[in-house]
Amino acid sequence: MWEAYKQVKANKGAAGVDGQSIEDFEKDLKNNLYRVWNRMSSGSYFPPPVRRVDIPKGDAGETRPLGIPTVTDRIAQMVVKRFLEPILEPKFDKDSYGYRPNKSAYDALSMARRRCWDYDWVLDLDIKSFFDDIDWELLMRAVRRHTDCKWVLLYLERWLRAPVCRPDGQLVHREKGTPQGAVVSPILANLFLHYAFDLWMRREYPDVQFERYADDVICRCRSEAEAQELRLALETRLAECRLRLHPDKTKIIYCADANRKGVYPERAFDFLGFTFRPRLAINRRGEHFISFMPAVSRKAAVKMRRRVRTWRLHWRSDLDLDTIAKWVCPVLIGWVKYYGQFYPSQLRDELRTIDAFLVRWLQRKYKRLRGHTMKQWAWLRSLKRRKPSLFAHWTLKPVAG
């Protein structure tokens, strides 16, 4: 229970329906933890409703429902997750990367990049409303194949059936799905797709490689015909598991590059915040060529620029530049560490908007530079040479690839 609490605290997170934050929970930590342990051990713990929050999805005004359990419920779920993880983790496929210890999105992206050079065709799968459509009966059947622990099975079923509290306070009772945002949801989702997809692929299409990060899946094919056949087979397979492929977002992509010059309508796909497509690269001899490579996606870049605009840097003339750098660099460092792993020059170009805001900050900060655009940019270039690491995006190299 104590280790579960420490993990929940490290993950932070918002308050649930009861409005209790982690700081509030810690005011009476000993008694609160004892209460959770006592109820779970006696079988009398009943999870409260899950608070629903709709977060933006894409640029079309769509939203994705996110479930936020209470702090108490997150600790209880973490106890069960810590029980299940050592049992399930050795069973999962090597090409399943999402929400697993010692695996990361970077690992999935690195493998995806390498295989794009080895395979001409990609089947980009989009499972429609995956977390909302997981069938409880099939899921619990999969869980029971790995454990017969009564208290674990009891609480998993209770969490699946816990109602969702909408922003207007209305309680909605569900008949399928697991809230995206619950502590146990990732490992349950991985288990479901382990049987619905991973094992089926290894059995029916052993020569087809794939990378799966939760419900984001990329399959490798030798030909367009093979990709089309696989798509039809997967539609049937997922239907058997009461899931659906999105008819518009599931696509077959040709990995065009300097050696693969076929003309096809789809030559790019998005995966984990990166867009894979033909790009200019430089080989070891300094020669330019076209390679199929990942770089920060347009959707991710738009989100970053929107975040930058909320900072309103050009209005903060009350702060010096070092203070501004300390303020924004934690976010910039996170972006650079993730999106700068592949084709960093693209990320550098996308984050030039920060430099534009810094120039506008100069206009307000120093009267002598007002109206002298060339001098403002020259001052900024000079600052980059003197303090190249002041802002994290300045460290990105301006080379292709």
Side-chain angles (χ1 to χ4, degrees), residues 265-276:
E266 297 290 346
R267 303 199 307 169
F269 66 91
D270 283 3
F271 185 53
L272 302 179
F274 287 79
T275 295
F276 288 70

Side-chain angles (χ1 to χ4, degrees), residues 346-363:
Q346 181 69 33
L347 179 62
R348 180 209 60 185
D349 293 343
E350 299 293 353
L351 292 181
R352 280 178 175 169
T353 183
I354 297 175
D355 293 352
F357 277 109
L358 292 177
V359 167
R360 294 172 66 184
W361 172 85
L362 278 173
Q363 296 175 359

Side-chain angles (χ1 to χ4, degrees), residues 151-287:
W151 67 271
V152 169
L153 298 174
L154 171 70
Y155 289 125
L156 285 177
E157 290 184 342
R158 287 182 182 176
W159 280 315
L160 290 174
R161 298 181 183 280
V164 173
C165 182
R166 290 182 173 176
D168 59 4
Q170 180 184 2
L171 291 181
V172 178
H173 294 273
R174 298 174 296 112
E175 296 181 352
K176 59 182 178 179
T178 178
Q180 194 169 358
V183 173
V184 295
S185 289
I187 195 168
L188 294 180
N190 270 336
L191 179 62
F192 193 93
L193 283 179
H194 176 68
Y195 285 101
F197 178 81
D198 299 352
L199 289 181
W200 183 86
M201 284 289 293
R202 297 305 186 199
R203 183 177 66 251
E204 301 294 332
Y205 290 87
D207 296 330
V208 174
Q209 301 296 322
F210 64 85
E211 301 86 51
R212 182 174 69 79
Y213 193 96
D215 60 328
D216 290 334
V217 189
I218 303 297
C219 298
R220 309 293 170 170
C221 299
R222 296 290 183 184
S223 66
E224 185 179 19
E226 184 182 36
Q228 291 171 341
E229 176 193 339
L230 179 59
R231 175 173 180 164
L232 292 174
L234 279 169
E235 286 179 351
T236 302
R237 171 57 182 173
L238 293 179
E240 293 172 352
C241 299
R242 296 158 200 177
L243 296 173
R244 298 167 294 164
L245 282 181
H246 197 294
D248 299 323
K249 296 182 180 179
T250 297
K251 298 179 180 179
I252 296 174
I253 296 96
Y254 180 67
C255 300
D257 59 19
N259 298 318
R260 297 175 290 196
K261 301 180 180 179
V263 179
Y264 296 92
E266 297 290 346
R267 303 199 307 169
F269 66 91
D270 283 3
F271 185 53
L272 302 179
F274 287 79
T275 295
F276 288 70
R277 67 171 179 81
R279 299 180 189 277
L280 184 67
I282 303 175
N283 63 22
R284 295 177 181 177
R285 298 187 297 273
E287 300 169 339

Side-chain angles (χ1 to χ4, degrees), residues 11 41 54 76 95 102 107 113 153 159 193 205 273 310 330:
N11 294 338
S41 60
D54 293 321
D95 281 318
N102 303 318
D107 296 328
R113 180 181 66 163
L153 298 174
W159 280 315
L193 283 179
Y205 290 87
T310 65

Side-chain angles (χ1 to χ4, degrees), residues 19 35 83 128 253 370:
R35 193 175 296 114
F83 175 89
K128 189 173 183 179
I253 296 96
R370 292 178 184 174

